[in-house]
Amino acid sequence: MQAEQHLPFELPPVTFYPGPSKVYLQLSRYMQDAFTQGILSINHRSATFMEICRKAIEHTQAKLNLPDGYKVLFVSSATESWEIIAQSLIGRKSFHLYNGAFGQKWMEYTQKIHPASNGFQFDVNQALSPDDIQVPADAECIALTQNETSNGTQVSNAIITQFKQKYPHMLVAVDATSSLGGIKLDFIAADIWFASVQKCLGLPAGLGLLIVSPRAMERAREIGDNTYYNSLLFMAENIEKYQTHYTPNVLNIYLLMRVMEEVEDISIIDKRTRQQAHAWYHFFEKYTSVSPIVTNTAVRSDTVIAIGADKQQIAFIKERTKQAGIIIGNGYGSWKETSFRIANFPAISLQEIQDLQHCLAGVL
Ligand SMILES: *Cc1c(COP(=O)(O)O)cnc(C)c1O
């Protein structure tokens, strides 16, 4: 191997990209510890790994306030969770409520496995309500994207609960990829939750969490899927022993353990996230050249702030923030060129927020 090469950056740029996003600064120390303690080479069937796995799960359960009996499973990504849910938790048909690119992709991935699955597309400014939407009686699972990263909208805990109450015989599955770890989620209101770690959990990409209720496990046993390497029953069997169904991302599980051990309780993080989101929206109200994509304040995301403007203005803002050493997120999907996105994730410091606001104040 050649001598160590230096990367082209002196210091990492400040990033507000909503995934992969800024990682917790403590990772520098945790990664060094992982190296010196030999974690990078441990066997995934060893007692050391099982201990790390157990602690990562237990700290996650404690800090996120997971209900008793909810299992935490390690997967590679949120995308893998979409597929696992289709394979192992849906027999024939799911019903998807979506208003943006990620929710739509989830439905499309599911339709490849279950062509009968369908959904309802709602407007970005519409607050979902079970009174307005008739979920087909033969759907087994209602799929909701709690935080739609592409357009900066969110579905409240109260609304998820209402769907659960109106359709008690169906499973409710929630994509919380860009909110889990950033805001308080009412886990009891749904049976399946998932996220990848490179968003609100402040970790590098390559690991996902799939959280399942006892009821979802019961449904998995009824369906009995055991066809795939990542069939839920097989994964659950392994995690009982604090092992995984394949050689996992051991470093990331270790980092999750360290982060979850040290972060504050989600109720404290939640409060700060919401206050900062409020401050961000308030900040943009001062300017007429830009405005949040979402005009209905009741459905605006707390963790991903999506701001629209005309194409030239967006290009100008991105150029100027880049010159200041700050990366902001591009628009996504149909909003690609007419918006930018700002992650409001817990690993981002107040100082960085102030620096970005200072920079934006000179541009807007
Ligand atoms: C980022 C994201 C995904 C995809 O995550 P991967 O880790 O790339 O699989 C899915 N859903 C939402 C809402 C996201 O923000």
Side-chain angles (χ1 to χ4, degrees):
M1 196 160 83
Q2 304 210 331
E4 207 177 299
Q5 299 247 325
H6 286 286
L7 290 168
F9 306 115
E10 293 277 303
L11 271 175
V14 177
T15 180
F16 285 83
Y17 221 97
S21 54
K22 191 195 169 195
V23 295
Y24 280 108
L25 291 178
Q26 287 89 333
L27 256 59
S28 159
R29 181 159 47 91
Y30 301 159
M31 291 203 296
Q32 190 61 49
D33 290 348
F35 184 88
T36 48
Q37 291 168 14
I39 305 295
L40 302 184
S41 307
I42 59 170
N43 186 293
H44 65 294
R45 307 281 172 216
S46 67
T48 310
F49 173 76
M50 285 156 66
E51 185 67 4
I52 291 168
C53 186
R54 182 179 66 78
K55 283 188 180 160
I57 291 171
E58 288 176 0
H59 291 317
T60 302
Q61 287 169 325
K63 290 292 166 64
L64 296 184
N65 225 332
L66 294 185
D68 284 347
Y70 275 52
K71 278 189 204 307
V72 177
L73 301 158
F74 293 117
V75 294
S76 64
S77 63
T79 305
E80 191 189 352
S81 295
W82 290 341
E83 192 155 294
I84 293 169
I85 294 164
Q87 288 167 181
S88 298
L89 289 162
I90 299 166
R92 196 186 75 87
K93 178 172 174 171
S94 52
F95 189 73
H96 298 250
L97 299 162
Y98 64 95
N99 72 359
F102 286 104
Q104 184 174 354
K105 256 195 232 176
W106 182 7
M107 178 178 72
E108 289 165 1
Y109 273 63
T110 307
Q111 284 169 332
K112 289 186 200 176
I113 294 173
H114 299 296
S117 291
N118 59 3
F120 173 79
Q121 182 170 13
F122 58 102
D123 186 80
V124 290
N125 284 308
Q126 183 186 344
L128 271 181
S129 163
D131 298 338
D132 306 333
I133 295 154
Q134 198 52 47
V135 175
D138 60 347
E140 301 146 62
C141 177
I142 302 171
L144 283 161
T145 303
Q146 194 279 324
N147 197 74
E148 179 49 78
T149 321
S150 67
N151 56 28
T153 55
Q154 69 177 343
V155 178
S156 69
N157 284 318
I159 291 171
I160 298 173
T161 304
Q162 286 167 21
F163 275 97
K164 182 85 198 143
Q165 284 169 348
K166 184 166 174 193
Y167 299 99
H169 57 292
M170 295 183 193
L171 292 179
V172 175
V174 183
D175 182 341
T177 303
S178 54
S179 53
L180 189 135
I183 60 167
K184 203 167 168 179
L185 297 166
D186 195 0
F187 290 101
I188 206 83
D191 304 285
I192 306 152
W193 297 82
F194 57 91
S196 21
V197 299
Q198 74 273 18
K199 311 231 168 140
C200 280
L201 292 166
L203 289 165
L207 180 70
L209 303 180
L210 175 59
I211 298 170
V212 287
S213 71
R215 184 142 173 275
M217 283 311 301
E218 200 177 297
R219 182 78 188 120
R221 283 188 290 271
E222 281 164 23
I223 292 174
D225 160 52
N226 236 325
T227 310
Y228 307 98
Y229 80 98
N230 57 0
S231 290
L232 189 65
L233 293 175
F234 183 52
M235 290 175 53
E237 210 176 283
N238 274 279
I239 210 72
E240 279 309 312
K241 301 173 282 182
Y242 298 109
Q243 292 189 8
T244 50
H245 51 301
Y246 55 67
T247 318
N249 189 334
V250 176
L251 173 59
N252 229 337
I253 293 173
Y254 173 81
L255 296 174
L256 177 74
M257 174 192 82
R258 296 291 302 267
V259 162
M260 281 303 179
E261 187 174 20
E262 244 183 72
V263 288
E264 294 159 298
D265 190 85
I266 193 63
S267 55
I268 297 169
I269 295 178
D270 174 83
K271 205 164 157 223
R272 197 163 51 232
T273 302
R274 287 180 198 275
Q275 277 167 356
Q276 276 169 10
H278 187 75
W280 265 122
Y281 289 115
H282 184 67
F283 171 83
F284 285 110
E285 269 171 21
K286 290 185 291 207
Y287 304 98
T288 51
S289 59
V290 291
S291 55
I293 289 181
V294 187
T295 51
N296 179 359
T297 55
V299 300
R300 276 182 187 163
S301 168
D302 287 312
T303 52
V304 178
I305 318 291
I307 302 296
D310 69 42
K311 214 169 138 178
Q312 281 98 339
Q313 176 75 357
I314 295 292
F316 181 59
I317 293 166
K318 282 198 287 199
E319 187 50 40
R320 290 293 289 270
T321 47
K322 194 173 155 200
Q323 280 165 8
I326 302 173
I327 297 171
I328 56 173
N330 288 330
Y332 197 97
S334 49
W335 286 277
K336 195 167 177 55
E337 292 189 332
T338 51
S339 72
F340 62 87
R341 293 172 302 155
I342 293 172
N344 183 33
F345 294 169
I348 295 169
S349 69
L350 194 56
Q351 183 63 53
E352 288 169 326
I353 294 174
Q354 285 165 356
D355 290 347
L356 176 55
Q357 291 190 349
H358 180 76
C359 175
L360 289 170
V363 188
L364 299 176

